[in-house]
Amino acid sequence: MVQVISAYEKELNNEKIPAGKKKVLLAALDLFSNKGFHATTTSKIAKAAGVSEATIYKYFQSKDDLLKKLLSPLFIELQQDFIGSLSQYQTLDALVTFIVKDRLKFIKANFDFIKLLLQEILTDPKLLQYFKDLISKETDFINVFKSWKQKFSEIDPNLTPIAIIRAIIGPIGAFALQTDFFNYQGDTTSDYSLIKKQIIAGLTN
Amino acid sequence: MVQVISAYEKELNNEKIPAGKKKVLLAALDLFSNKGFHATTTSKIAKAAGVSEATIYKYFQSKDDLLKKLLSPLFIELQQDFIGSLSQYQTLDALVTFIVKDRLKFIKANFDFIKLLLQEILTDPKLLQYFKDLISKETDFINVFKSWKQKFSEIDPNLTPIAIIRAIIGPIGAFALQTDFFNYQGDTTSDYSLIKKQIIAGLTN
DNA sequence: GTCTATATCACGATAGAC
DNA sequence: GTCTATCGTGATATAGAC
């Protein structure tokens, strides 16, 4: 089954878009993310979607265009909600608890998108650059980190934004890899507290 | 430039293998890892290697065979040396210091191979299974972790092998991603001590 | 809004000369 | 040990009917 919990809900629930277009988007996401973009032929997409190849080209200018249209909602999703919701937490422990839970949920919900994005970013310099800009030019991040340092005295004031991002992404990413990709089923409670502990160790002095 | 520091030294320095075969292996590694396996045509490999397509098929049964022959040394390399060398460290700090330095060096030296492996593992269930077996059935790991728990009283005896691997891979992987993929140039000394601190926090009670 | 039928071309792979 | 020349297939993409 394809995961489309967050990044496509609105578009796919919009009744105005044709049934064929929806089916193509879902089939393409499944095949691109699990078999790879270049390994997936338009013929396979058509079969999986139960439509003809002509239908694909009715709604998408090319196979590349279909890929772009699939990825764009994820980029929007990556920025939204998350950063804004960080300001409400008054202790470092509560903040980290939220981040771990929220980002693991996000990764699980969008796992097919993330696999696809990962594959493409590894081989497409343009997409890599776009992604870099999204992270580094995003002054929101810098400001959020500054506010953290003021709010939570435990945080090492010498940490760079890069180091902060790394301290958070490392433990979360490794756990997500084990659970979502290698199908590891662990004891959520103790695993989460280990992840939290590791993140806080990377942030504090 | 292609990275071939460890995983291919012996084979490529062997003077008995034909010049054309060497050139094909190097060109294929570069193109497969940076453009993707399916996006790379045999024609492009031939051009990059400065040989004809027939030369490729003289030495490799198929394009898939070429990929397999490229990846196999990495699997051997992944197992060798590393585990055995872990027993000589008498403090947890010294052990973790070695692991961080050694694995980051390994990743940097084999980065093209790792990018290629990553792409293929994301889309090839057989390769994923092979990789899983390499890790889980590898009883060496379990034994090494057991010996750690006996040797270093700081280590949480309740940690599962999965949690131990995660505690180590997370911080190292995130740093490797930032440096080798996003070209981040940091202060090695303070970065390394942060990584170490985070790993030890994930291992100790 | 979706289909059948088809154009075009590049891909992986091979035969056989040198 | 390497090349030129070529084959068959299946890929993306389109025209036009319903």
Side-chain angles (χ1 to χ4, degrees), chain B residues 26-44:
Chain B
L26 284 171
L29 174 60
D30 180 29
L31 291 168
F32 285 168
S33 64
N34 292 308
K35 310 281 181 185
F37 174 73
H38 289 282
T40 300
T41 67
T42 51
S43 157
K44 285 178 189 163

Side-chain angles (χ1 to χ4, degrees), chain A residues 57-99:
Chain A
Y57 287 96
K58 169 81 180 181
Y59 298 115
F60 306 97
Q61 293 171 20
S62 63
K63 197 182 153 191
D64 273 283
D65 180 51
L66 173 54
L67 174 65
K68 269 188 196 167
K69 296 226 166 94
L70 264 180
L71 281 178
S72 53
L74 184 61
F75 280 112
I76 297 162
E77 184 97 9
L78 272 173
Q79 298 170 288
Q80 279 175 348
D81 305 328
F82 178 62
I83 295 181
S85 58
L86 295 176
S87 60
Q88 60 181 293
Y89 296 94
Q90 299 304 324
T91 67
L92 184 58
D93 190 83
L95 175 68
V96 173
T97 302
F98 166 76
I99 293 177

Side-chain angles (χ1 to χ4, degrees), chain A residues 75 116-125 127-128 131, chain B residues 181:
Chain A
F75 280 112
L116 176 55
L117 181 66
L118 193 63
Q119 289 176 60
E120 288 311 302
I121 244 176
L122 279 169
T123 53
D124 184 349
L127 197 65
L128 176 61
F131 198 74
Chain B
F181 192 67

